[in-house]
Amino acid sequence: EIVMMQSPATLSVSPGERATLSCRASHSVSSNLAWYQQKPGQPPRLLIYGASTRATGIPARFSGSGSGTEFTLTISSLQSEDFAVYYCQQYNNWLMYTFGQGTKLEIK
Amino acid sequence: EVQLVQSGAEVAKPGESLKISCKGYGYSFTSHWIGWVRQMPGKGLEWMGSISPGDSHTRYSPSLQGQVTISADKSISTAYLQWSSLRASDTAIYYCARQERDRDGYYFDYWGQGTLVTVSS
């Protein structure tokens, strides 16, 4: 099983500032990495796939980078609606998809 | 518009059986795998298994194999997740999600609204 580890568990950032979220895989997943945003009471929403490709309708302030085992989600200038929980997910091994434990992005 | 619409919240007793559903709209239902993802109270996301509605080929998480059954009826564009004997630990929100093909695998691009299953005596 590929284990996905996200850091930090909680990130406190002020509106307008940059947020950087990390995701590390226990084994290489190439670029088969997606990021999701989840707000309370809502289903997850796809932000990024292929490690760096924004999904349809996702604002340009969201960007993804990395390959292999190290990945980053960057939100360039935080808006109020961006405060949520973010999950990474590998789909390199499709016998066993795995998610990270999540990073909660909160208002500082 | 692509939509996945799930059945409503359920309350059941331990040992009971249950089947929840996920109906697809706005796309060719047989062209995309459907995955089921569990979210236990206050916790993260866990993939349970997936089905190809066109041929009902299924894959399960090794940790959940045998505990649930995933099926689909392509004639009504609906996927199902069922339990034969519920446990209190099955209490969770269950999401279905459409899978889209990338180069080497599939990510989840559209999600249902979730079905809350509460198992309590």
mmCIF file of all heavy atoms in Angstrom, chain A residues 30-32 34 36 38 42-46 49-50 87 89 91-92 94-97 99-101, chain B residues 33 39 43-47 50 59-62 95 99 102-109 111-112:
data_model
loop_
_atom_site.group_PDB
_atom_site.id
_atom_site.type_symbol
_atom_site.label_atom_id
_atom_site.label_comp_id
_atom_site.label_asym_id
_atom_site.label_seq_id
_atom_site.Cartn_x
_atom_site.Cartn_y
_atom_site.Cartn_z
ATOM 1 N N SER A 30 4.728 8.736 -9.606
ATOM 2 C CA SER A 30 4.912 9.486 -10.848
ATOM 3 C C SER A 30 4.163 10.824 -10.721
ATOM 4 O O SER A 30 4.338 11.538 -9.744
ATOM 5 C CB SER A 30 4.425 8.653 -12.027
ATOM 6 O OG SER A 30 4.707 9.296 -13.247
ATOM 7 N N SER A 31 3.308 11.150 -11.685
ATOM 8 C CA SER A 31 2.491 12.376 -11.581
ATOM 9 C C SER A 31 1.025 12.050 -11.341
ATOM 10 O O SER A 31 0.150 12.882 -11.586
ATOM 11 C CB SER A 31 2.637 13.198 -12.871
ATOM 12 O OG SER A 31 3.955 13.661 -13.029
ATOM 13 N N ASN A 32 0.760 10.842 -10.867
ATOM 14 C CA ASN A 32 -0.616 10.383 -10.653
ATOM 15 C C ASN A 32 -1.127 10.808 -9.285
ATOM 16 O O ASN A 32 -1.374 9.998 -8.391
ATOM 17 C CB ASN A 32 -0.682 8.869 -10.833
ATOM 18 C CG ASN A 32 -0.277 8.454 -12.233
ATOM 19 O OD1 ASN A 32 -0.841 8.928 -13.223
ATOM 20 N ND2 ASN A 32 0.729 7.591 -12.329
ATOM 21 N N ALA A 34 -3.713 13.727 -7.228
ATOM 22 C CA ALA A 34 -4.797 14.703 -7.288
ATOM 23 C C ALA A 34 -4.931 15.413 -5.950
ATOM 24 O O ALA A 34 -4.554 14.871 -4.903
ATOM 25 C CB ALA A 34 -6.112 14.016 -7.652
ATOM 26 N N TYR A 36 -7.854 17.624 -3.594
ATOM 27 C CA TYR A 36 -9.272 17.909 -3.400
ATOM 28 C C TYR A 36 -9.432 18.904 -2.257
ATOM 29 O O TYR A 36 -8.656 18.906 -1.300
ATOM 30 C CB TYR A 36 -10.046 16.632 -3.055
ATOM 31 C CG TYR A 36 -9.919 15.533 -4.086
ATOM 32 C CD1 TYR A 36 -8.871 14.617 -4.010
ATOM 33 C CD2 TYR A 36 -10.819 15.412 -5.137
ATOM 34 C CE1 TYR A 36 -8.733 13.613 -4.960
ATOM 35 C CE2 TYR A 36 -10.684 14.416 -6.086
ATOM 36 C CZ TYR A 36 -9.634 13.522 -5.991
ATOM 37 O OH TYR A 36 -9.487 12.534 -6.935
ATOM 38 N N GLN A 38 -12.313 20.155 0.587
ATOM 39 C CA GLN A 38 -13.585 19.799 1.212
ATOM 40 C C GLN A 38 -13.962 20.836 2.267
ATOM 41 O O GLN A 38 -13.186 21.099 3.184
ATOM 42 C CB GLN A 38 -13.541 18.405 1.833
ATOM 43 C CG GLN A 38 -14.923 17.950 2.310
ATOM 44 C CD GLN A 38 -14.928 16.558 2.904
ATOM 45 O OE1 GLN A 38 -13.961 16.122 3.510
ATOM 46 N NE2 GLN A 38 -16.038 15.843 2.728
ATOM 47 N N GLN A 42 -19.953 19.379 2.855
ATOM 48 C CA GLN A 42 -19.933 19.250 1.402
ATOM 49 C C GLN A 42 -19.057 18.074 0.978
ATOM 50 O O GLN A 42 -18.159 17.657 1.717
ATOM 51 C CB GLN A 42 -19.397 20.534 0.761
ATOM 52 C CG GLN A 42 -20.259 21.750 0.987
ATOM 53 C CD GLN A 42 -19.734 22.960 0.232
ATOM 54 O OE1 GLN A 42 -18.942 22.854 -0.703
ATOM 55 N NE2 GLN A 42 -20.185 24.137 0.638
ATOM 56 N N PRO A 43 -19.316 17.560 -0.231
ATOM 57 C CA PRO A 43 -18.410 16.525 -0.741
ATOM 58 C C PRO A 43 -17.082 17.143 -1.164
ATOM 59 O O PRO A 43 -16.987 18.374 -1.335
ATOM 60 C CB PRO A 43 -19.158 15.981 -1.960
ATOM 61 C CG PRO A 43 -20.017 17.113 -2.411
ATOM 62 C CD PRO A 43 -20.416 17.847 -1.159
ATOM 63 N N PRO A 44 -16.059 16.328 -1.322
ATOM 64 C CA PRO A 44 -14.798 16.846 -1.860
ATOM 65 C C PRO A 44 -14.996 17.410 -3.270
ATOM 66 O O PRO A 44 -15.888 16.999 -4.007
ATOM 67 C CB PRO A 44 -13.893 15.613 -1.878
ATOM 68 C CG PRO A 44 -14.493 14.696 -0.863
ATOM 69 C CD PRO A 44 -15.970 14.922 -0.957
ATOM 70 N N ARG A 45 -14.121 18.341 -3.607
ATOM 71 C CA ARG A 45 -14.124 18.972 -4.930
ATOM 72 C C ARG A 45 -12.754 18.818 -5.541
ATOM 73 O O ARG A 45 -11.750 19.145 -4.888
ATOM 74 C CB ARG A 45 -14.472 20.450 -4.759
ATOM 75 C CG ARG A 45 -14.367 21.332 -6.001
ATOM 76 C CD ARG A 45 -14.405 22.780 -5.547
ATOM 77 N NE ARG A 45 -14.376 23.739 -6.648
ATOM 78 C CZ ARG A 45 -14.075 25.037 -6.484
ATOM 79 N NH1 ARG A 45 -13.814 25.503 -5.284
ATOM 80 N NH2 ARG A 45 -14.072 25.832 -7.535
ATOM 81 N N LEU A 46 -12.694 18.343 -6.760
ATOM 82 C CA LEU A 46 -11.413 18.171 -7.436
ATOM 83 C C LEU A 46 -10.800 19.520 -7.772
ATOM 84 O O LEU A 46 -11.448 20.375 -8.384
ATOM 85 C CB LEU A 46 -11.604 17.358 -8.713
ATOM 86 C CG LEU A 46 -10.367 17.191 -9.598
ATOM 87 C CD1 LEU A 46 -9.316 16.307 -8.917
ATOM 88 C CD2 LEU A 46 -10.765 16.610 -10.961
ATOM 89 N N TYR A 49 -5.339 17.571 -10.928
ATOM 90 C CA TYR A 49 -5.019 16.187 -11.258
ATOM 91 C C TYR A 49 -3.729 16.173 -12.063
ATOM 92 O O TYR A 49 -3.261 17.225 -12.523
ATOM 93 C CB TYR A 49 -6.162 15.506 -12.020
ATOM 94 C CG TYR A 49 -6.458 16.115 -13.372
ATOM 95 C CD1 TYR A 49 -5.851 15.635 -14.519
ATOM 96 C CD2 TYR A 49 -7.349 17.178 -13.485
ATOM 97 C CE1 TYR A 49 -6.119 16.199 -15.756
ATOM 98 C CE2 TYR A 49 -7.622 17.753 -14.705
ATOM 99 C CZ TYR A 49 -7.005 17.258 -15.840
ATOM 100 O OH TYR A 49 -7.265 17.817 -17.069
ATOM 101 N N GLY A 50 -3.149 14.990 -12.194
ATOM 102 C CA GLY A 50 -1.864 14.918 -12.879
ATOM 103 C C GLY A 50 -0.798 15.753 -12.211
ATOM 104 O O GLY A 50 0.118 16.243 -12.867
ATOM 105 N N TYR A 87 -7.084 17.501 0.669
ATOM 106 C CA TYR A 87 -6.584 16.132 0.636
ATOM 107 C C TYR A 87 -5.808 15.888 -0.658
ATOM 108 O O TYR A 87 -6.225 16.333 -1.731
ATOM 109 C CB TYR A 87 -7.740 15.126 0.661
ATOM 110 C CG TYR A 87 -8.554 15.119 1.924
ATOM 111 C CD1 TYR A 87 -9.725 15.857 2.031
ATOM 112 C CD2 TYR A 87 -8.160 14.344 3.019
ATOM 113 C CE1 TYR A 87 -10.482 15.835 3.198
ATOM 114 C CE2 TYR A 87 -8.905 14.323 4.183
ATOM 115 C CZ TYR A 87 -10.069 15.071 4.265
ATOM 116 O OH TYR A 87 -10.807 15.045 5.423
ATOM 117 N N GLN A 89 -4.338 12.675 -3.086
ATOM 118 C CA GLN A 89 -4.723 11.290 -3.377
ATOM 119 C C GLN A 89 -3.862 10.759 -4.513
ATOM 120 O O GLN A 89 -3.705 11.440 -5.530
ATOM 121 C CB GLN A 89 -6.190 11.218 -3.776
ATOM 122 C CG GLN A 89 -6.683 9.826 -4.163
ATOM 123 C CD GLN A 89 -7.268 9.763 -5.550
ATOM 124 O OE1 GLN A 89 -7.735 10.760 -6.085
ATOM 125 N NE2 GLN A 89 -7.270 8.589 -6.159
ATOM 126 N N TYR A 91 -3.235 7.969 -7.475
ATOM 127 C CA TYR A 91 -3.955 7.001 -8.292
ATOM 128 C C TYR A 91 -2.991 6.258 -9.213
ATOM 129 O O TYR A 91 -3.368 5.775 -10.281
ATOM 130 C CB TYR A 91 -5.101 7.647 -9.072
ATOM 131 C CG TYR A 91 -4.756 8.866 -9.884
ATOM 132 C CD1 TYR A 91 -4.398 8.770 -11.219
ATOM 133 C CD2 TYR A 91 -4.827 10.145 -9.322
ATOM 134 C CE1 TYR A 91 -4.110 9.890 -11.979
ATOM 135 C CE2 TYR A 91 -4.541 11.278 -10.074
ATOM 136 C CZ TYR A 91 -4.177 11.143 -11.401
ATOM 137 O OH TYR A 91 -3.885 12.259 -12.148
ATOM 138 N N ASN A 92 -1.749 6.159 -8.761
ATOM 139 C CA ASN A 92 -0.754 5.422 -9.529
ATOM 140 C C ASN A 92 -0.989 3.921 -9.423
ATOM 141 O O ASN A 92 -0.851 3.193 -10.406
ATOM 142 C CB ASN A 92 0.640 5.755 -8.996
ATOM 143 C CG ASN A 92 1.734 5.174 -9.874
ATOM 144 O OD1 ASN A 92 1.884 5.580 -11.014
ATOM 145 N ND2 ASN A 92 2.491 4.237 -9.341
ATOM 146 N N TRP A 94 -3.793 1.573 -9.038
ATOM 147 C CA TRP A 94 -5.241 1.618 -9.006
ATOM 148 C C TRP A 94 -5.865 0.329 -8.499
ATOM 149 O O TRP A 94 -7.056 0.147 -8.582
ATOM 150 C CB TRP A 94 -5.830 2.068 -10.339
ATOM 151 C CG TRP A 94 -5.807 1.083 -11.436
ATOM 152 C CD1 TRP A 94 -4.736 0.475 -11.970
ATOM 153 C CD2 TRP A 94 -6.932 0.655 -12.180
ATOM 154 N NE1 TRP A 94 -5.124 -0.319 -13.002
ATOM 155 C CE2 TRP A 94 -6.451 -0.222 -13.159
ATOM 156 C CE3 TRP A 94 -8.295 0.937 -12.114
ATOM 157 C CZ2 TRP A 94 -7.307 -0.828 -14.073
ATOM 158 C CZ3 TRP A 94 -9.139 0.334 -13.022
ATOM 159 C CH2 TRP A 94 -8.646 -0.546 -13.981
ATOM 160 N N LEU A 95 -5.028 -0.520 -7.953
ATOM 161 C CA LEU A 95 -5.568 -1.598 -7.139
ATOM 162 C C LEU A 95 -5.845 -1.089 -5.727
ATOM 163 O O LEU A 95 -6.519 -1.773 -4.953
ATOM 164 C CB LEU A 95 -4.562 -2.754 -7.089
ATOM 165 C CG LEU A 95 -4.293 -3.450 -8.426
ATOM 166 C CD1 LEU A 95 -3.228 -4.519 -8.250
ATOM 167 C CD2 LEU A 95 -5.568 -4.023 -9.000
ATOM 168 N N MET A 96 -5.321 0.091 -5.410
ATOM 169 C CA MET A 96 -5.474 0.620 -4.059
ATOM 170 C C MET A 96 -5.235 2.125 -4.086
ATOM 171 O O MET A 96 -4.121 2.591 -3.925
ATOM 172 C CB MET A 96 -4.451 -0.039 -3.124
ATOM 173 C CG MET A 96 -4.571 0.396 -1.682
ATOM 174 S SD MET A 96 -6.100 -0.155 -0.921
ATOM 175 C CE MET A 96 -6.047 0.675 0.641
ATOM 176 N N TYR A 97 -6.296 2.893 -4.297
ATOM 177 C CA TYR A 97 -6.189 4.346 -4.228
ATOM 178 C C TYR A 97 -6.042 4.748 -2.765
ATOM 179 O O TYR A 97 -6.712 4.195 -1.900
ATOM 180 C CB TYR A 97 -7.450 5.010 -4.773
ATOM 181 C CG TYR A 97 -7.763 4.705 -6.212
ATOM 182 C CD1 TYR A 97 -8.942 4.083 -6.567
ATOM 183 C CD2 TYR A 97 -6.882 5.068 -7.219
ATOM 184 C CE1 TYR A 97 -9.249 3.820 -7.886
ATOM 185 C CE2 TYR A 97 -7.179 4.802 -8.548
ATOM 186 C CZ TYR A 97 -8.361 4.182 -8.874
ATOM 187 O OH TYR A 97 -8.655 3.923 -10.186
ATOM 188 N N PHE A 99 -5.603 8.211 0.050
ATOM 189 C CA PHE A 99 -5.653 9.635 0.339
ATOM 190 C C PHE A 99 -4.700 9.959 1.480
ATOM 191 O O PHE A 99 -4.449 9.125 2.351
ATOM 192 C CB PHE A 99 -7.063 10.042 0.770
ATOM 193 C CG PHE A 99 -8.109 9.952 -0.293
ATOM 194 C CD1 PHE A 99 -8.781 8.762 -0.525
ATOM 195 C CD2 PHE A 99 -8.457 11.064 -1.052
ATOM 196 C CE1 PHE A 99 -9.764 8.672 -1.504
ATOM 197 C CE2 PHE A 99 -9.442 10.993 -2.026
ATOM 198 C CZ PHE A 99 -10.091 9.790 -2.255
ATOM 199 N N GLY A 100 -4.228 11.198 1.491
ATOM 200 C CA GLY A 100 -3.562 11.707 2.673
ATOM 201 C C GLY A 100 -4.586 11.961 3.766
ATOM 202 O O GLY A 100 -5.796 11.915 3.530
ATOM 203 N N GLN A 101 -4.094 12.264 4.959
ATOM 204 C CA GLN A 101 -4.994 12.445 6.108
ATOM 205 C C GLN A 101 -5.624 13.825 6.138
ATOM 206 O O GLN A 101 -6.524 14.075 6.946
ATOM 207 C CB GLN A 101 -4.231 12.179 7.423
ATOM 208 C CG GLN A 101 -3.394 13.344 7.925
ATOM 209 C CD GLN A 101 -2.056 13.505 7.224
ATOM 210 O OE1 GLN A 101 -1.796 12.942 6.157
ATOM 211 N NE2 GLN A 101 -1.192 14.295 7.840
ATOM 212 N N TRP B 33 -15.683 4.512 -14.701
ATOM 213 C CA TRP B 33 -15.773 3.790 -13.443
ATOM 214 C C TRP B 33 -16.438 4.699 -12.389
ATOM 215 O O TRP B 33 -16.331 5.930 -12.459
ATOM 216 C CB TRP B 33 -14.385 3.415 -12.940
ATOM 217 C CG TRP B 33 -13.742 2.279 -13.669
ATOM 218 C CD1 TRP B 33 -13.249 2.290 -14.941
ATOM 219 C CD2 TRP B 33 -13.480 0.973 -13.143
ATOM 220 N NE1 TRP B 33 -12.704 1.065 -15.252
ATOM 221 C CE2 TRP B 33 -12.830 0.229 -14.176
ATOM 222 C CE3 TRP B 33 -13.717 0.347 -11.921
ATOM 223 C CZ2 TRP B 33 -12.438 -1.097 -13.992
ATOM 224 C CZ3 TRP B 33 -13.307 -0.973 -11.747
ATOM 225 C CH2 TRP B 33 -12.677 -1.680 -12.781
ATOM 226 N N GLN B 39 -16.155 8.302 4.605
ATOM 227 C CA GLN B 39 -15.634 9.314 5.519
ATOM 228 C C GLN B 39 -16.276 9.089 6.877
ATOM 229 O O GLN B 39 -17.447 9.433 7.078
ATOM 230 C CB GLN B 39 -15.884 10.727 5.012
ATOM 231 C CG GLN B 39 -15.176 11.791 5.838
ATOM 232 C CD GLN B 39 -15.128 13.128 5.132
ATOM 233 O OE1 GLN B 39 -16.091 13.550 4.491
ATOM 234 N NE2 GLN B 39 -14.004 13.827 5.257
ATOM 235 N N LYS B 43 -13.261 12.300 10.286
ATOM 236 C CA LYS B 43 -12.044 11.712 9.732
ATOM 237 C C LYS B 43 -11.864 12.033 8.253
ATOM 238 O O LYS B 43 -12.641 12.782 7.654
ATOM 239 C CB LYS B 43 -12.077 10.181 9.926
ATOM 240 C CG LYS B 43 -12.216 9.750 11.370
ATOM 241 C CD LYS B 43 -11.053 10.216 12.223
ATOM 242 C CE LYS B 43 -11.179 9.699 13.655
ATOM 243 N NZ LYS B 43 -10.073 10.211 14.518
ATOM 244 N N GLY B 44 -10.816 11.432 7.669
ATOM 245 C CA GLY B 44 -10.491 11.681 6.276
ATOM 246 C C GLY B 44 -11.206 10.739 5.327
ATOM 247 O O GLY B 44 -12.156 10.043 5.677
ATOM 248 N N LEU B 45 -10.713 10.745 4.098
ATOM 249 C CA LEU B 45 -11.336 9.998 3.013
ATOM 250 C C LEU B 45 -10.646 8.647 2.818
ATOM 251 O O LEU B 45 -9.422 8.545 2.869
ATOM 252 C CB LEU B 45 -11.235 10.813 1.721
ATOM 253 C CG LEU B 45 -11.816 12.228 1.785
ATOM 254 C CD1 LEU B 45 -11.460 13.009 0.533
ATOM 255 C CD2 LEU B 45 -13.322 12.178 1.983
ATOM 256 N N GLU B 46 -11.466 7.630 2.561
ATOM 257 C CA GLU B 46 -10.943 6.272 2.379
ATOM 258 C C GLU B 46 -11.644 5.629 1.191
ATOM 259 O O GLU B 46 -12.873 5.484 1.194
ATOM 260 C CB GLU B 46 -11.172 5.436 3.636
ATOM 261 C CG GLU B 46 -10.670 3.994 3.528
ATOM 262 C CD GLU B 46 -10.996 3.172 4.762
ATOM 263 O OE1 GLU B 46 -11.817 3.632 5.582
ATOM 264 O OE2 GLU B 46 -10.431 2.071 4.898
ATOM 265 N N TRP B 47 -10.864 5.234 0.186
ATOM 266 C CA TRP B 47 -11.429 4.550 -0.966
ATOM 267 C C TRP B 47 -11.833 3.146 -0.566
ATOM 268 O O TRP B 47 -11.055 2.408 0.057
ATOM 269 C CB TRP B 47 -10.411 4.506 -2.103
ATOM 270 C CG TRP B 47 -10.837 3.681 -3.273
ATOM 271 C CD1 TRP B 47 -11.809 3.985 -4.180
ATOM 272 C CD2 TRP B 47 -10.304 2.417 -3.671
ATOM 273 N NE1 TRP B 47 -11.907 2.985 -5.120
ATOM 274 C CE2 TRP B 47 -10.993 2.012 -4.833
ATOM 275 C CE3 TRP B 47 -9.311 1.575 -3.155
ATOM 276 C CZ2 TRP B 47 -10.732 0.821 -5.487
ATOM 277 C CZ3 TRP B 47 -9.033 0.393 -3.808
ATOM 278 C CH2 TRP B 47 -9.741 0.024 -4.961
ATOM 279 N N SER B 50 -14.400 0.221 -6.457
ATOM 280 C CA SER B 50 -14.891 0.846 -7.682
ATOM 281 C C SER B 50 -15.526 -0.198 -8.583
ATOM 282 O O SER B 50 -15.229 -1.391 -8.470
ATOM 283 C CB SER B 50 -13.739 1.518 -8.438
ATOM 284 O OG SER B 50 -13.137 2.536 -7.673
ATOM 285 N N ARG B 59 -13.348 -3.603 -8.291
ATOM 286 C CA ARG B 59 -12.110 -3.661 -7.522
ATOM 287 C C ARG B 59 -12.440 -3.173 -6.123
ATOM 288 O O ARG B 59 -13.209 -2.232 -5.969
ATOM 289 C CB ARG B 59 -11.029 -2.777 -8.147
ATOM 290 C CG ARG B 59 -10.548 -3.250 -9.498
ATOM 291 C CD ARG B 59 -9.424 -2.360 -9.997
ATOM 292 N NE ARG B 59 -8.948 -2.761 -11.319
ATOM 293 C CZ ARG B 59 -7.998 -3.653 -11.527
ATOM 294 N NH1 ARG B 59 -7.404 -4.233 -10.491
ATOM 295 N NH2 ARG B 59 -7.617 -3.954 -12.742
ATOM 296 N N TYR B 60 -11.840 -3.822 -5.119
ATOM 297 C CA TYR B 60 -12.096 -3.463 -3.734
ATOM 298 C C TYR B 60 -10.794 -3.139 -3.020
ATOM 299 O O TYR B 60 -9.743 -3.713 -3.315
ATOM 300 C CB TYR B 60 -12.778 -4.612 -2.996
ATOM 301 C CG TYR B 60 -14.188 -4.911 -3.444
ATOM 302 C CD1 TYR B 60 -14.440 -5.853 -4.436
ATOM 303 C CD2 TYR B 60 -15.281 -4.250 -2.871
ATOM 304 C CE1 TYR B 60 -15.731 -6.129 -4.854
ATOM 305 C CE2 TYR B 60 -16.579 -4.523 -3.272
ATOM 306 C CZ TYR B 60 -16.790 -5.467 -4.262
ATOM 307 O OH TYR B 60 -18.078 -5.736 -4.670
ATOM 308 N N SER B 61 -10.901 -2.241 -2.035
ATOM 309 C CA SER B 61 -9.786 -2.044 -1.131
ATOM 310 C C SER B 61 -9.543 -3.344 -0.377
ATOM 311 O O SER B 61 -10.494 -3.945 0.136
ATOM 312 C CB SER B 61 -10.114 -0.926 -0.148
ATOM 313 O OG SER B 61 -9.198 -0.930 0.923
ATOM 314 N N PRO B 62 -8.303 -3.794 -0.284
ATOM 315 C CA PRO B 62 -8.034 -5.038 0.456
ATOM 316 C C PRO B 62 -8.547 -5.003 1.895
ATOM 317 O O PRO B 62 -8.959 -6.036 2.422
ATOM 318 C CB PRO B 62 -6.503 -5.131 0.421
ATOM 319 C CG PRO B 62 -6.101 -4.390 -0.804
ATOM 320 C CD PRO B 62 -7.089 -3.253 -0.909
ATOM 321 N N TYR B 95 -19.592 8.485 -0.066
ATOM 322 C CA TYR B 95 -19.659 9.245 -1.315
ATOM 323 C C TYR B 95 -19.433 8.315 -2.501
ATOM 324 O O TYR B 95 -18.562 7.432 -2.442
ATOM 325 C CB TYR B 95 -18.560 10.317 -1.363
ATOM 326 C CG TYR B 95 -18.680 11.414 -0.344
ATOM 327 C CD1 TYR B 95 -17.897 11.429 0.808
ATOM 328 C CD2 TYR B 95 -19.567 12.472 -0.533
ATOM 329 C CE1 TYR B 95 -17.986 12.444 1.736
ATOM 330 C CE2 TYR B 95 -19.674 13.488 0.390
ATOM 331 C CZ TYR B 95 -18.884 13.468 1.529
ATOM 332 O OH TYR B 95 -18.983 14.487 2.441
ATOM 333 N N GLN B 99 -14.976 8.397 -11.934
ATOM 334 C CA GLN B 99 -13.541 8.324 -12.177
ATOM 335 C C GLN B 99 -13.238 8.702 -13.615
ATOM 336 O O GLN B 99 -13.877 8.235 -14.557
ATOM 337 C CB GLN B 99 -13.018 6.922 -11.859
ATOM 338 C CG GLN B 99 -13.176 6.568 -10.398
ATOM 339 C CD GLN B 99 -12.643 5.202 -10.041
ATOM 340 O OE1 GLN B 99 -13.227 4.478 -9.245
ATOM 341 N NE2 GLN B 99 -11.502 4.818 -10.614
ATOM 342 N N ASP B 102 -6.682 9.314 -16.461
ATOM 343 C CA ASP B 102 -5.486 10.099 -16.717
ATOM 344 C C ASP B 102 -4.505 9.150 -17.398
ATOM 345 O O ASP B 102 -4.860 8.024 -17.727
ATOM 346 C CB ASP B 102 -4.937 10.665 -15.406
ATOM 347 C CG ASP B 102 -3.955 11.798 -15.623
ATOM 348 O OD1 ASP B 102 -3.698 12.158 -16.787
ATOM 349 O OD2 ASP B 102 -3.443 12.338 -14.624
ATOM 350 N N ARG B 103 -3.281 9.526 -17.547
ATOM 351 C CA ARG B 103 -2.342 8.684 -18.297
ATOM 352 C C ARG B 103 -2.232 7.279 -17.727
ATOM 353 O O ARG B 103 -2.339 6.284 -18.436
ATOM 354 C CB ARG B 103 -0.965 9.345 -18.305
ATOM 355 C CG ARG B 103 -0.888 10.580 -19.192
ATOM 356 C CD ARG B 103 0.400 11.320 -18.946
ATOM 357 N NE ARG B 103 0.485 11.807 -17.583
ATOM 358 C CZ ARG B 103 1.541 12.413 -17.070
ATOM 359 N NH1 ARG B 103 2.612 12.607 -17.806
ATOM 360 N NH2 ARG B 103 1.532 12.834 -15.817
ATOM 361 N N ASP B 104 -2.020 7.199 -16.409
ATOM 362 C CA ASP B 104 -1.738 5.908 -15.791
ATOM 363 C C ASP B 104 -2.809 5.422 -14.824
ATOM 364 O O ASP B 104 -2.672 4.339 -14.257
ATOM 365 C CB ASP B 104 -0.402 5.971 -15.020
ATOM 366 C CG ASP B 104 0.755 6.341 -15.921
ATOM 367 O OD1 ASP B 104 0.759 5.875 -17.072
ATOM 368 O OD2 ASP B 104 1.654 7.087 -15.482
ATOM 369 N N GLY B 105 -3.810 6.210 -14.606
ATOM 370 C CA GLY B 105 -4.819 5.812 -13.631
ATOM 371 C C GLY B 105 -6.032 6.695 -13.710
ATOM 372 O O GLY B 105 -6.248 7.393 -14.701
ATOM 373 N N TYR B 106 -6.839 6.654 -12.655
ATOM 374 C CA TYR B 106 -8.113 7.363 -12.644
ATOM 375 C C TYR B 106 -8.222 8.236 -11.395
ATOM 376 O O TYR B 106 -7.986 7.765 -10.284
ATOM 377 C CB TYR B 106 -9.273 6.362 -12.623
ATOM 378 C CG TYR B 106 -9.346 5.448 -13.816
ATOM 379 C CD1 TYR B 106 -8.544 4.310 -13.892
ATOM 380 C CD2 TYR B 106 -10.223 5.710 -14.852
ATOM 381 C CE1 TYR B 106 -8.618 3.469 -14.976
ATOM 382 C CE2 TYR B 106 -10.302 4.865 -15.947
ATOM 383 C CZ TYR B 106 -9.495 3.749 -16.004
ATOM 384 O OH TYR B 106 -9.563 2.911 -17.092
ATOM 385 N N TYR B 107 -8.611 9.487 -11.586
ATOM 386 C CA TYR B 107 -8.902 10.349 -10.446
ATOM 387 C C TYR B 107 -10.410 10.544 -10.378
ATOM 388 O O TYR B 107 -11.159 10.161 -11.280
ATOM 389 C CB TYR B 107 -8.165 11.688 -10.587
ATOM 390 C CG TYR B 107 -8.442 12.427 -11.867
ATOM 391 C CD1 TYR B 107 -9.486 13.346 -11.951
ATOM 392 C CD2 TYR B 107 -7.658 12.209 -13.004
ATOM 393 C CE1 TYR B 107 -9.750 14.018 -13.137
ATOM 394 C CE2 TYR B 107 -7.917 12.880 -14.187
ATOM 395 C CZ TYR B 107 -8.965 13.772 -14.250
ATOM 396 O OH TYR B 107 -9.220 14.435 -15.432
ATOM 397 N N PHE B 108 -10.860 11.155 -9.268
ATOM 398 C CA PHE B 108 -12.293 11.336 -9.024
ATOM 399 C C PHE B 108 -12.686 12.759 -9.402
ATOM 400 O O PHE B 108 -12.311 13.708 -8.718
ATOM 401 C CB PHE B 108 -12.605 11.069 -7.549
ATOM 402 C CG PHE B 108 -12.218 9.682 -7.098
ATOM 403 C CD1 PHE B 108 -11.097 9.473 -6.316
ATOM 404 C CD2 PHE B 108 -12.987 8.586 -7.460
ATOM 405 C CE1 PHE B 108 -10.734 8.198 -5.903
ATOM 406 C CE2 PHE B 108 -12.644 7.302 -7.060
ATOM 407 C CZ PHE B 108 -11.513 7.110 -6.275
ATOM 408 N N ASP B 109 -13.438 12.919 -10.487
ATOM 409 C CA ASP B 109 -13.723 14.274 -10.956
ATOM 410 C C ASP B 109 -15.088 14.830 -10.533
ATOM 411 O O ASP B 109 -15.234 16.039 -10.366
ATOM 412 C CB ASP B 109 -13.517 14.403 -12.478
ATOM 413 C CG ASP B 109 -14.447 13.534 -13.306
ATOM 414 O OD1 ASP B 109 -15.091 12.624 -12.732
ATOM 415 O OD2 ASP B 109 -14.508 13.755 -14.530
ATOM 416 N N TRP B 111 -18.410 14.219 -7.750
ATOM 417 C CA TRP B 111 -18.786 13.527 -6.527
ATOM 418 C C TRP B 111 -20.283 13.663 -6.273
ATOM 419 O O TRP B 111 -20.870 14.713 -6.558
ATOM 420 C CB TRP B 111 -18.033 14.109 -5.337
ATOM 421 C CG TRP B 111 -16.553 13.882 -5.376
ATOM 422 C CD1 TRP B 111 -15.651 14.416 -6.276
ATOM 423 C CD2 TRP B 111 -15.787 13.066 -4.489
ATOM 424 N NE1 TRP B 111 -14.378 13.982 -5.986
ATOM 425 C CE2 TRP B 111 -14.433 13.154 -4.894
ATOM 426 C CE3 TRP B 111 -16.096 12.280 -3.384
ATOM 427 C CZ2 TRP B 111 -13.408 12.475 -4.238
ATOM 428 C CZ3 TRP B 111 -15.072 11.610 -2.731
ATOM 429 C CH2 TRP B 111 -13.750 11.701 -3.151
ATOM 430 N N GLY B 112 -20.863 12.607 -5.685
ATOM 431 C CA GLY B 112 -22.219 12.723 -5.192
ATOM 432 C C GLY B 112 -22.255 13.554 -3.915
ATOM 433 O O GLY B 112 -21.207 13.913 -3.366
#
